[in-house]
Amino acid sequence: MTADTLGGVWTYALELVRALAPRDVEVTLATMGAPLSEAQWAQARALPNLHLEESRFRLEWMDDPWEDVRAAGDWLLSLEARVRPDVVHLNGYAHGALPWERRPLVVGHSCILSWWRAVKREDAPERYARYREAVTAGLRAAGRVVAPSAAMLEALRAHYGPLPPAEVIPNGRFPGVMPPRAKREPFVLSAGRLWDEAKNLAALRAAAPRLGWPVKVAGDARHPSGLAVESRHVELLGHLSSSSLADWMGRASVYALPARYEPFGLSVLEAALSGCALVLGDIPSLREVWGEGPALFVPPDDVGALVDAVETLRHDDTLRTRLAVRARARALTYTPRRMAAAYLSLYAALSGLRIPEAPPPPPRTRSPLPETPSP
């Protein structure tokens, strides 16, 4: 399995590896993008079925990455020759077109062309023509294609189709990682790079002076160019470890992410597991993942609607608690166990191997949140 070390794919990969352990599946994880942090090494060492192979090759979505993409391909093929895996699971696109022993599984977590369309409201510029060609070739060479939401899968078809057999497998998160608390503190939390146009935290920053509760943002405020993003009216928590972010989510009353582009939204899933009431950008993927009832949705570019939604939750304790309970109930359906079972079915189809039976699920525990009856 491949993974980059710079975002949610790392969390997704480790959750999947952990969930595969009871099925006696061993995973060699080949990382790219940047060296692992000490915290990431510690997370990896805690998984007995994980074997880590680290690299620093640039990723296909970075500026002028193609020499590194080629070199990374040679490295991955050498790993295949040494490890002799039953399945190759790629969490990127371009390497799908390599001459693998078996056609790989390619998972589309996001892409530049769909990002550009959602965020810029126009087609990506011509400088991404090579990227488009590489992604198209990788997807069409796959044995199977997966996306974490139907919205993301439709975007892949629209920009790079037709595709091989494809399906949706939602991401999962272990509930114990983000435990809820009975008491909530009066602040609004969000997470993401403050400069990321997809997360649209600029809208939350613009709304903050009109909100009765303070706004706290976890994530980097410094753009890759080195420039610091204006952060007035919000408290910057900086880059947090998983445990620190869990603590903040456990304390927050509201989690707000007025995203313009979010193919699944792991941070939203974590916030829901933590017992936060959700205010989300009204985009197809987030509507799909959360359905009707567990969240308030606002147009991403309507700051007034964002203010109204957060203020409604601030003033209405009953509604806020009801939404938090519903969000957590929905979040508990996105389990790593369910995710792993779906991937194992694909692994069996790609490899021809019989997958061992799953052990019985652990007993469910009740949420410490107060249960508010539905209307």
Side-chain angles (χ1 to χ4, degrees):
M1 185 189 300
T2 61
D4 74 64
T5 59
L6 301 175
V9 171
W10 170 259
T11 301
Y12 151 89
L14 263 61
E15 284 286 20
L16 181 54
V17 171
R18 182 182 293 108
L20 291 171
R23 308 293 285 273
D24 297 324
V25 177
E26 295 193 2
V27 179
T28 297
L29 189 65
T31 66
M32 293 173 278
L36 275 72
S37 67
E38 290 185 11
Q40 287 173 321
W41 271 111
Q43 291 173 323
R45 292 189 184 105
L47 300 177
N49 63 324
L50 176 61
H51 310 275
L52 200 60
E53 300 282 348
E54 182 187 23
S55 80
R56 303 186 182 192
F57 295 115
R58 293 171 64 79
L59 301 163
E60 59 203 24
W61 51 264
M62 295 177 170
D63 291 335
D64 195 23
W66 302 113
E67 183 58 32
D68 270 24
V69 170
R70 182 201 60 76
D74 292 341
W75 175 63
L76 292 173
L77 289 176
S78 71
L79 284 179
E80 182 195 35
R82 172 161 58 86
V83 174
R84 308 303 299 172
D86 297 303
V87 175
V88 172
H89 174 152
L90 302 176
N91 289 304
Y93 302 107
H95 295 128
L98 292 173
W100 303 104
E101 290 291 327
R102 294 188 182 95
R103 295 178 73 183
L105 169 66
V106 174
V107 182
H109 297 276
S110 64
C111 79
I112 289 177
L113 301 193
S114 60
W115 182 97
W116 204 281
R117 166 53 59 185
V119 172
K120 303 291 190 180
R121 307 290 197 270
E122 62 185 23
D123 291 336
E126 185 59 29
R127 69 176 182 271
Y128 291 110
R130 187 170 179 181
Y131 172 89
R132 180 186 292 107
E133 293 169 2
V135 172
T136 300
L139 283 167
R140 295 186 182 181
R144 291 286 200 282
V145 172
V146 166
S149 65
M152 186 64 216
L153 185 55
E154 181 56 35
L156 294 178
R157 288 195 173 108
H159 291 289
Y160 313 103
L163 302 178
E167 66 182 85
V168 174
I169 301 179
N171 295 335
R173 201 76 167 96
F174 176 58
V177 175
M178 299 283 173
R181 298 181 181 181
K183 292 183 179 180
R184 321 299 297 169
E185 294 185 25
F187 66 87
V188 179
L189 181 68
S190 194
R193 302 174 183 90
L194 201 61
W195 46 267
D196 187 346
E197 296 174 82
K199 305 298 184 187
N200 195 29
L201 297 184
L204 191 57
R205 190 174 69 234
R210 298 160 59 184
L211 300 177
W213 280 350
V215 176
K216 304 175 189 292
V217 176
D220 193 358
R222 188 168 294 277
H223 193 276
S225 65
L227 296 177
V229 178
E230 172 62 51
S231 58
R232 283 187 304 170
H233 310 303
V234 301
E235 179 184 346
L236 300 181
L237 304 177
H239 179 76
L240 301 179
S241 66
S242 296
S243 59
S244 294
L245 181 58
D247 179 68
W248 280 105
M249 284 186 169
R251 294 162 55 189
S253 291
V254 174
Y255 185 82
L257 190 73
R260 296 190 181 104
Y261 179 76
E262 186 60 90
F264 180 81
L266 269 176
S267 74
V268 182
L269 178 56
E270 292 171 343
L273 288 171
S274 301
C276 297
L278 304 177
V279 177
L280 306 176
D282 194 355
I283 57 177
S285 56
L286 293 179
R287 282 276 186 180
E288 173 191 340
V289 172
W290 295 102
E292 299 298 329
L296 297 183
F297 292 95
V298 297
D301 296 317
D302 190 337
V303 175
L306 177 59
V307 170
D308 289 344
V310 173
E311 286 295 278
T312 295
L313 292 179
R314 181 172 74 89
H315 289 293
D316 192 334
D317 293 347
T318 301
L319 175 62
R320 191 171 67 249
T321 300
R322 183 185 302 134
L323 289 183
V325 170
R326 288 177 175 175
R328 189 165 196 271
R330 178 85 169 188
L332 288 171
T333 68
Y334 294 115
T335 65
R337 179 187 175 89
R338 176 175 152 182
M339 174 175 64
Y343 276 105
L344 280 168
S345 295
L346 288 183
Y347 295 164
L350 289 167
S351 67
L353 295 174
R354 182 178 178 278
I355 302 300
E357 292 296 321
R364 285 277 297 272
T365 57
R366 287 180 60 82
S367 167
L369 287 171
E371 297 292 335
T372 302
S374 298

